[in-house]
Amino acid sequence: MSTLLLSRGDVAELLNMEEVTGVLEQTFREHAAGRAQMVPKVYVKLEKGDFRAMPGAIPGAAGVKWVNVHLENRELGLPSIMGIFIYSDPNTGYPLAIMDATELTAYRTAATSAIASRYLARTDSRTMGLIGAGRQSYMHLESHARVFSLEEIKVYDMRPEAAVALISSFPRFNIKEASAEETAASDIVCTLTPATAPVVQASWVRLGTHIDAVGADAPGKQELDPALLRMARVVVDDVTQACHGGEINVAVSRGLFTKEQIQGTLGEVIAGIKPGREGDGDITIFDSTGLSIEDVATARLVYEKATERGGYPSIDIV
Ligand SMILES: NC(=O)c1ccc[n+]([C@@H]2O[C@H](COP(=O)([O-])OP(=O)(O)OC[C@H]3O[C@@H](n4cnc5c(N)ncnc54)[C@H](O)[C@@H]3O)[C@@H](O)[C@H]2O)c1
């Protein structure tokens, strides 16, 4: 046996949004049924960023992601988020593959938001607002366009050039630059910034809106006015991770929102254990922190496809 080595290009070529969405929906069902194992992210704080270790296992697959967030990397021509994933056989512990996790993260995060939007947004949603125009914004537009007939997309970024670049990459869509307030007045809003203070005010959000709050994935990060959390049905990917480092973490630490006010997990909504949206006038929020089991499931998909296709390099580590 040997260990497959899969580059960022290999992973990008092997993944597609439709398949990732399919395996992740099943993974959230496993999470709700208590059949998935994960420990909350372990953070290593550094002067210019941080590292996160994310181990997890689902039936038949296990692994760990080692991923950074270094926001000044753009100036060096490097992505702000880079990761590697070690995919292991859960029965023997054998390291079956070492693969890029940058693409893995990009795909699984956007696919998860699209699943959340499918379960929580109004089915007649036609407008989308993207707050932040970085890598995740491109992926979220791709993942949502598969699920909704988007008639109008607005994008806001504090760096107008980022919004312009995004718009020019999607000539097939009716997409335009807008203020944060105009962008928040959409049927589906995805917040995709590393902000540590609210970018979206409660008064800007219309009844019936669904928000995928994705940017806050570490303690101290937040993108939404805490008043919005209290007006909405808040669904999280994982309760412990969300309270520690998700969109709700700052509000929870200040006593403005409590764990008991969480409506349920995405897995529970998918499995029908907890209700999601109950009326067209509800505001729903999905607090995405990013789960290790999303990475494990996506890595298994990559590994299986790479094995089937063949021709990838490998090394004898053990
Ligand atoms: N929940 C998850 O699973 C998950 C997964 C991956 C990334 N993330 C988080 O999502 C965020 C975006 O990731 P990315 O890879 O797209 O990053 P990126 O660096 O590629 O893009 C971030 C964009 O946000 C803009 N921005 C920063 N602060 C802003 C503000 N206050 N208002 C408006 N725009 C602002 C930047 O100009 C940039 O264009 C990060 O915070 C990242 O940590 C979460």
Side-chain angles (χ1 to χ4, degrees), residues 41 43 190-200 211-229 234-254 256-257 262 285-290:
K41 291 180 204 182
Y43 293 85
C190 298
T191 59
L192 306 154
T193 77
T196 51
V199 185
V200 175
I211 303 176
D212 290 308
V214 178
D217 57 356
K221 289 171 92 173
Q222 65 172 153
E223 300 178 287
L224 307 180
D225 181 348
L228 201 46
L229 301 175
V234 178
V235 171
V236 301
D237 52 11
D238 179 79
V239 173
T240 308
Q241 262 193 204
C243 291
H244 179 260
E247 178 58 44
I248 61 173
N249 88 86
V250 175
V252 167
S253 68
R254 293 183 187 156
L256 300 171
F257 190 78
I262 296 171
I285 296 176
F286 172 55
D287 182 349
S288 165
T289 62

Side-chain angles (χ1 to χ4, degrees), residues 80 108-109 134-136 157-159 194 214-215 217 221 288 290:
S80 48
R108 62 75 149 149
T109 306
R135 179 77 209 277
Q136 279 302 333
D157 195 290
M158 65 192 294
R159 293 181 308 117
V214 178
D217 57 356
K221 289 171 92 173
S288 165

Side-chain angles (χ1 to χ4, degrees), residues 4 51 67 73-74 102 121-122 137 165 195 222-223 236 246 259 272 275:
L4 270 188
F51 276 112
V67 61
N73 273 3
R74 198 177 298 109
T102 307
R122 294 189 337 265
S137 197
Q222 65 172 153
E223 300 178 287
V236 301
K259 192 174 160 182

Side-chain angles (χ1 to χ4, degrees), residues 3 92 95 110 124 133 150 160 171-172 175 208 214 287 302:
T3 304
T92 62
D124 63 350
L150 298 173
R172 68 184 191 277
I175 174 168
V214 178
D287 182 349
V302 171

Side-chain angles (χ1 to χ4, degrees), residues 15-83:
L15 285 178
N16 71 66
M17 200 59 87
E18 190 176 348
E19 288 177 337
V20 177
T21 306
V23 300
L24 290 186
E25 187 165 338
Q26 178 56 27
T27 302
F28 278 100
R29 286 182 193 277
E30 304 281 10
H31 184 243
R35 288 194 295 267
Q37 273 194 65
M38 49 168 276
V39 285
K41 291 180 204 182
V42 176
Y43 293 85
V44 181
K45 285 203 112 357
L46 305 160
E47 199 184 323
K48 293 194 167 181
D50 65 57
F51 276 112
R52 294 121 199 242
M54 299 174 64
I58 53 175
V64 61
K65 182 164 79 174
W66 178 240
V67 61
N68 76 299
V69 178
H70 282 68
L71 297 174
E72 291 166 24
N73 273 3
R74 198 177 298 109
E75 290 147 32
L76 305 171
L78 285 172
S80 48
I81 300 172
M82 294 171 284

